[in-house]
């Protein structure tokens, strides 16, 4: 009977403590969950957030956010468009890139042709018995320098015809390639300089657009310098030309 009494008392005590133990477990679980909510974020989350923030900053201007449309898919894209010339949508951006690459190609030709004309036009014209097309100061003819009236109309016809052919080739390539079209692609590569792999193509396109941007700045420099000093750029800064030409 004594043993039976002890077992009965033990069972009664266990039954009375069981709900209390369950309640304590629930309280502890709640405290752990609450503490986890206030715990610092994991290192991986912080690193991901940091990398995302870095990607959203402009490469050209690291202190300003990268323009939304400039996602690095175009060659030479470094997130530089402080005035928003790229437009509000992808179509506007592609149109502006098309204009940029065409102006770049013209500028590269002009950056070479301008000083070549100033160095050799007089001698060539004299050899052929023709009047020089340079201005009285020996500068290349331009809107600011004057002298465009000396250019024969045939020259402008040839230039317009070449430009028209280039535009036709560009439209044909655009139609043939569809969504794979690259802005400025005229299907013109007679020397086979364009690589065949994706990385090589991007590298070549980047070189072209960067050289074109430098050439546009160079032409602007030619124009401003000759307008201010009224002298050929080859004579005003001979150190840039005499050693080469």
């Amino acid at each position: 009977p004594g043993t039976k009494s002890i077992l009965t008392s033990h069972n009664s005590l266990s039954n009375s403590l069981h709900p209390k133990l369950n309640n304590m477990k629930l309280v502890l679980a709640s405290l752990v969950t609450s503490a986890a909510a206030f715990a610092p974020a994991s290192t991986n989350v912080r690193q991901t957030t940091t990398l995302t923030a870095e990607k959203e900053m402009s490469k050209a201007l690291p202190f300003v956010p990268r323009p939304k449309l400039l996602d690095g898919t175009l060659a030479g894209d470094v997130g530089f468009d402080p005035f928003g010339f790229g437009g509000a949508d992808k179509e506007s951006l592609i149109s502006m890139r098309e204009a940029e690459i065409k102006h770049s190609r013209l500028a590269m030709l002009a950056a070479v042709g301008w000083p070549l004309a100033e160095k050799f036009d007089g001698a060539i014209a004299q050899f052929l018995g023709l009047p020089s097309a340079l201005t009285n100061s020996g500068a290349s003819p331009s809107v600011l320098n004057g002298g465009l009236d000396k250019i024969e109309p045939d020259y402008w016809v040839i230039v317009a015809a070449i430009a028209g052919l280039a535009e036709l080739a560009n439209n044909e390539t655009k139609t043939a390639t569809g969504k794979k079209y690259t802005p400025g692609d005229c299907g013109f590569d007679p020397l086979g300089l364009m690589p065949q792999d994706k990385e090589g193509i991007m590298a070549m396109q980047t070189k072209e657009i960067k050289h074109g941007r430098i050439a546009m700045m160079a032409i602007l420099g030619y124009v401003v310098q000759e307008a201010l000093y009224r002298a050929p750029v080859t004579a005003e800064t001979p150190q840039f030309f005499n050693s080469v030409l």
Side-chain angles (χ1 to χ4, degrees):
T3 304
K4 185 177 181 180
S5 176
I6 292 172
L7 291 173
T8 302
S9 301
H10 181 268
N11 291 335
S12 299
L13 181 62
S14 298
N15 291 335
S16 62
L17 289 175
H18 186 68
K20 293 181 179 180
L21 289 172
N22 288 338
N23 291 337
M24 290 179 65
K25 289 178 180 179
L26 290 173
V27 171
L28 287 172
S30 300
L31 290 173
V32 170
T33 305
S34 300
F38 290 98
S42 65
T43 305
N44 291 336
V45 174
R46 286 200 302 269
Q47 289 178 349
T48 302
T49 304
T50 303
L51 290 174
T52 303
E54 288 178 356
K55 288 181 180 179
E56 291 178 352
M57 301 304 289
S58 168
K59 291 182 180 179
L61 302 172
F63 49 87
V64 299
R66 171 184 60 81
K68 183 179 178 181
L69 292 175
L70 301 183
D71 54 6
T73 55
L74 293 176
D77 176 10
V78 290
F80 183 81
D81 187 18
F83 300 109
F85 290 147
D89 52 38
K90 198 71 174 180
E91 186 178 354
S92 299
L93 178 64
I94 295 300
S95 177
M96 291 301 294
R97 167 47 65 94
E98 189 99 39
E100 181 185 28
I101 191 65
K102 289 178 179 178
H103 281 81
S104 294
R105 291 165 179 168
L106 289 173
M108 286 188 280
L109 290 172
V112 175
W114 189 298
L116 281 176
E118 293 181 349
K119 293 290 290 184
F120 301 114
D121 179 82
I124 294 174
Q126 185 177 6
F127 177 78
L128 296 176
L130 299 172
S132 174
L134 300 177
T135 64
N136 294 333
S137 64
S140 291
S142 68
V143 174
L144 296 181
N145 288 342
L148 291 176
D149 56 309
K150 295 182 178 181
I151 307 300
E152 296 292 334
D154 296 347
Y155 170 81
W156 299 116
V157 172
I158 294 172
V159 169
I162 294 174
L165 291 173
E167 287 298 318
L168 288 174
N170 180 230
N171 288 332
E172 289 178 2
T173 304
K174 187 183 296 186
T175 302
T177 55
K179 292 183 178 180
K180 295 182 179 180
Y181 171 72
T182 301
D185 184 5
C186 299
F188 182 80
D189 186 20
L191 300 179
L193 299 177
M194 183 64 73
Q196 299 301 315
D197 61 291
K198 190 174 182 180
E199 291 183 0
I201 291 173
M202 177 62 76
M204 184 64 75
Q205 290 174 348
T206 301
K207 291 175 184 178
E208 181 184 30
I209 194 66
K210 286 186 175 182
H211 281 84
R213 289 167 179 169
I214 293 173
M216 287 189 281
M217 296 300 295
I219 287 297
L220 178 62
Y222 293 171
V223 171
V224 172
Q225 184 170 328
E226 292 191 354
L228 290 176
Y229 296 102
R230 312 311 299 177
V233 67
T234 52
E236 194 66 31
T237 51
Q239 63 272 20
F240 294 125
F241 304 100
N242 287 348
S243 59
V244 179
L245 303 178

